[in-house]
Amino acid sequence: MNSIFVRIYGGILVALLIIGAATYVGVDLINQYRAGQYRERMAEGTFFLLGEGLREQSGADRAEWLREMSRRLGASLRIHPGADLSLTYRERLHLDEGRVVIREHQKSERITVLYHVPGGDDYLVTSLERLSEQQARATAGLILDRLKAVAPEQRAESLARLVPYFGFPLSLAEWGEVGLDEEQYQRLDRNETVLLLTDSTRRDATLYLYVPIPGDHRVLVLGPMTLFDPFPWELLVVASLLALCLVALSTYLQVRPLQTRLRHLERAVKRLGGGDLTAHADVRGGDSIGQLAATFNGMTAHIRRLIHAQREMTRAVSHELRTPVARLRFGLEMLADSESAEARRERLDALDRDIDQLDQLIDEILTYARLEQGTPTIDFQPVYLVEVCEQLRGELDTIRGDIVIDVEGDRALAVDGDPRYLHRILQNLVTNALRYAQARIRMTIRLEGDGERVVLDVDDDGSGIPEHQRERVFKPFARLDQSRHRASGGYGLGLSIVKRIVDWHGGEVRVLESDWGGARFQVILPREQQRQHVLGR
């Protein structure tokens, strides 16, 4: 999960799933509420007329009237006192306002319709499968009964008083203006109700009910009655906008932390570009940005180390060059004052030795500077260290004098490394030991622990190195106590070169106390390396 793409894509995908589920649930709840409102609005006019008709009845006529209305509706109409209905606060409030309340049954598709009869504590109650065509025709019949009870010239006014109680328009239309076909007109002639559904394939389909009025040249028109649309365009637009806003918010929450971290990294880069070598990118994490910040911090730290090392090198080189240059100048002055040929020859020999010393110093400085430039490509191959030690012992025969150099170890033991650099490690360690040894030097090669590491020990019987100075010996131009200092020979770069090469090989070098009382330089190297591998700094 360290990929930025995976994190952003995964976060957006999870957000989309959550938003989709929340939108679905939200739209479903809204549609349930809207469906209830739609049913109540469509049934309100019908039950208003039923309530008015019930109020006009009394005694035995009321029971007969209820049976007749139940037949028309296709559902049983009952009268209940309010105490038997367990009304909620919302239901009681709606019923007191003269509105219809519809209760839905979770385990079936049936609904219960409640209506408060004006002027008392009675409630009309009925159960229906759904609002159907039969209830629509019954409603038309109730309206028609109202209109029949008044004179034709008063019917328009009577109908207008009913309109506020219905959720759809009511009107009277002239017989020839209703726009029906011949077959539908014939049905009107037979005093039949005509039900007309316009374009049922569309969402905005509407329903019309045409009811002929006996003895009148006009037709009662109920409609247009819009069918319930569970997904009106307004709701879809609101849901889409809300989903887009939530996606934008989730994307922002995903990208914002990444943008903040990139800005921190950008500020650090600008500080470094302005010359501030203390620049540090305070960006954490295991993703690409976190790895880039860690690389940047490592780079700036390495640059600081290089500049510090360069300054130390400049100061040390200036100091080390001053001595041979001063001797050369002094030798030239003495050469000018020499009168005999023998004296001039001695002075020239001394100048030649000083030039050799200066040349050796410059060679060591150039070698160290070259090694400091970076890690080279190392072609790892098996190197038999015992053979390298014996070869080195032969090379040092001319300068070792009376000092005995011993080699101990298994000749078949090999370590992966570069032969040139491993030879340089041994050469510098043994040459350093020759400066301080009294009589003996020993090179020992052995396996350590589980056999995955090779240990090379170089012991001498000199005066040893104090424990508090053992880390300093690997620093360029390090100066130790009088027992092991520059007066004994060397310039303090050989061990620094050893440390650098050992680091390239993935090993470590340390200084211990020898069994002989002198110093022991111990090099630990991995026995096997990856071939053709460039080790990082």
Side-chain angles (χ1 to χ4, degrees):
M1 292 295 292
N2 288 336
S3 171
I4 294 178
F5 169 77
V6 172
R7 290 178 60 188
I8 294 179
Y9 181 79
I12 293 177
L13 182 60
V14 171
L16 286 175
L17 292 176
I18 296 174
I19 292 168
T23 303
Y24 175 81
V25 172
V27 170
D28 186 61
L29 291 175
I30 293 173
N31 278 329
Q32 290 182 20
Y33 176 78
R34 291 178 59 249
Q37 294 287 95
Y38 173 81
R39 294 191 188 100
E40 291 179 0
R41 188 172 65 251
M42 297 299 291
E44 187 172 328
T46 303
F47 278 81
F48 168 75
L49 293 178
L50 289 172
E52 290 294 312
L54 182 62
R55 190 172 59 172
E56 295 173 358
Q57 307 300 320
S58 63
D61 293 339
R62 172 176 284 199
E64 181 63 27
W65 184 88
L66 284 174
R67 283 193 295 271
E68 174 63 19
M69 292 299 106
S70 298
R71 184 187 63 79
R72 288 192 186 184
L73 289 172
S76 177
L77 280 173
R78 303 180 302 278
I79 299 176
H80 285 275
D84 296 343
L85 297 176
S86 302
L87 300 174
T88 65
Y89 174 78
R90 170 189 171 276
E91 291 175 340
R92 187 174 297 278
L93 183 64
H94 282 198
L95 291 170
D96 290 344
E97 293 175 352
R99 297 165 61 182
V100 169
V101 170
I102 294 180
R103 290 178 176 177
E104 296 187 8
H105 300 275
Q106 296 181 353
K107 296 183 179 180
S108 67
E109 295 183 357
R110 295 188 65 84
I111 59 174
T112 299
V113 185
L114 307 176
Y115 182 76
H116 182 209
V117 179
D121 192 33
D122 291 334
Y123 290 84
L124 269 177
V125 181
T126 187
S127 295
L128 303 170
E129 287 291 339
R130 62 181 184 275
L131 296 177
S132 62
E133 179 181 345
Q134 185 172 356
Q135 281 87 51
R137 294 182 185 277
T139 301
L142 290 171
I143 298 174
L144 189 59
D145 290 344
R146 280 275 185 172
L147 297 181
K148 289 179 181 179
V150 298
E153 62 272 11
Q154 296 177 346
R155 288 173 179 171
E157 182 180 352
S158 177
L159 186 64
R161 287 196 294 268
L162 296 178
V163 170
Y165 298 98
F166 284 81
F168 47 85
L170 302 176
S171 61
L172 295 174
E174 294 294 332
W175 188 271
E177 296 178 357
V178 292
L180 301 177
D181 58 27
E182 183 177 354
E183 190 272 336
Q184 291 168 336
Y185 273 118
Q186 290 176 359
R187 292 175 59 190
L188 290 178
D189 286 337
R190 296 194 297 267
N191 285 327
E192 296 178 4
T193 300
V194 175
L195 187 68
L196 178 61
L197 181 64
T198 63
D199 200 356
S200 59
T201 60
R202 297 180 54 182
R203 278 189 171 183
D204 57 352
T206 55
L207 182 69
Y208 288 87
L209 205 64
Y210 298 96
V211 184
I213 304 175
D216 200 329
H217 61 280
R218 292 170 296 181
V219 177
L220 172 63
V221 181
L222 282 70
M225 291 178 275
T226 58
L227 301 181
F228 177 69
D229 181 8
F231 295 104
W233 69 268
E234 298 91 344
L235 182 59
L236 292 177
V237 169
V238 171
S240 300
L241 291 177
L242 180 61
L244 288 175
C245 292
L246 292 176
V247 169
L249 178 61
S250 66
T251 304
Y252 174 80
L253 294 177
Q254 289 287 325
V255 174
R256 177 64 178 175
L258 300 177
Q259 187 179 21
T260 302
R261 297 166 69 204
L262 285 174
R263 286 178 178 173
H264 289 167
L265 183 58
E266 180 186 11
R267 285 196 292 267
V269 172
K270 287 182 178 179
R271 287 176 57 192
L272 180 64
D276 183 5
L277 297 180
T278 63
H280 178 82
D282 188 14
V283 178
R284 297 178 177 84
D287 57 6
S288 301
I289 298 178
Q291 294 174 5
L292 178 61
T295 303
F296 173 81
N297 293 333
M299 179 189 69
T300 56
H302 183 60
I303 291 174
R304 289 195 297 269
R305 287 195 300 270
L306 288 178
I307 292 179
H308 178 73
Q310 183 184 36
R311 291 172 180 171
E312 293 292 326
M313 175 73 73
T314 302
R315 288 195 292 266
V317 168
S318 300
H319 178 78
E320 294 296 332
L321 290 176
R322 187 178 293 113
T323 299
V325 170
R327 288 204 302 267
L328 286 173
R329 183 181 292 110
F330 179 75
L332 289 173
E333 293 177 355
M334 294 295 293
L335 179 63
D337 295 338
S338 299
E339 297 179 356
S340 63
E342 183 178 354
R344 285 195 294 272
R345 172 55 58 188
E346 291 178 357
R347 296 302 176 191
L348 287 173
D349 290 341
L351 288 174
D352 187 62
R353 289 193 296 272
D354 289 336
I355 291 174
D356 287 342
Q357 184 180 4
L358 184 60
D359 185 63
Q360 293 175 6
L361 174 59
I362 293 174
D363 181 66
E364 287 289 304
I365 292 173
L366 291 177
T367 300
Y368 182 78
R370 185 170 60 253
L371 296 180
E372 275 291 304
Q373 289 178 359
T375 305
T377 300
I378 299 178
D379 183 9
F380 289 105
Q381 56 184 281
V383 179
Y384 297 92
L385 292 179
V386 172
E387 294 182 1
V388 178
C389 292
E390 291 176 346
Q391 175 187 349
L392 179 63
R393 180 171 59 182
E395 295 172 357
L396 298 177
D397 278 344
T398 57
I399 64 172
R400 65 185 176 88
D402 297 332
I403 297 177
V404 178
I405 301 179
D406 294 326
V407 178
E408 298 179 3
D410 184 359
R411 298 181 63 86
L413 182 58
V415 63
D416 281 351
D418 190 299
R420 297 171 302 160
Y421 290 123
L422 293 180
H423 182 275
R424 186 60 181 263
I425 289 175
L426 287 166
Q427 177 182 325
N428 286 11
L429 291 178
V430 175
T431 303
N432 178 77
L434 283 173
R435 299 191 183 104
Y436 308 107
Q438 300 296 325
R440 298 177 62 187
I441 295 175
R442 181 180 63 203
M443 292 179 283
T444 306
I445 296 93
R446 57 186 172 85
L447 287 175
E448 182 182 75
D450 52 7
E452 294 183 357
R453 293 180 297 179
V454 175
V455 180
L456 168 64
D457 292 330
V458 178
D459 294 79
D460 66 64
D461 60 351
S463 56
I465 300 175
E467 185 174 355
H468 67 278
Q469 292 186 337
R470 290 175 184 174
E471 291 296 326
R472 292 187 57 223
V473 297
F474 298 109
K475 295 182 179 180
F477 305 104
R479 298 179 181 275
L480 304 182
D481 293 338
Q482 295 297 321
S483 59
R484 297 176 78 101
H485 59 55
R486 191 170 52 86
S488 303
Y491 304 99
L493 290 175
L495 296 179
S496 300
I497 294 173
V498 169
K499 180 73 166 60
R500 179 63 61 190
I501 296 175
V502 170
D503 289 343
W504 290 348
H505 284 74
E508 58 177 315
V509 59
R510 53 192 177 187
V511 183
L512 304 173
E513 184 178 352
S514 174
D515 297 338
W516 298 338
R520 170 182 292 176
F521 284 86
Q522 186 175 83
V523 177
I524 303 175
L525 299 172
R527 189 176 181 183
E528 295 183 357
Q529 299 271 7
Q530 182 180 353
R531 301 292 191 270
Q532 300 293 347
H533 177 62
V534 181
L535 293 175
R537 294 184 69 87

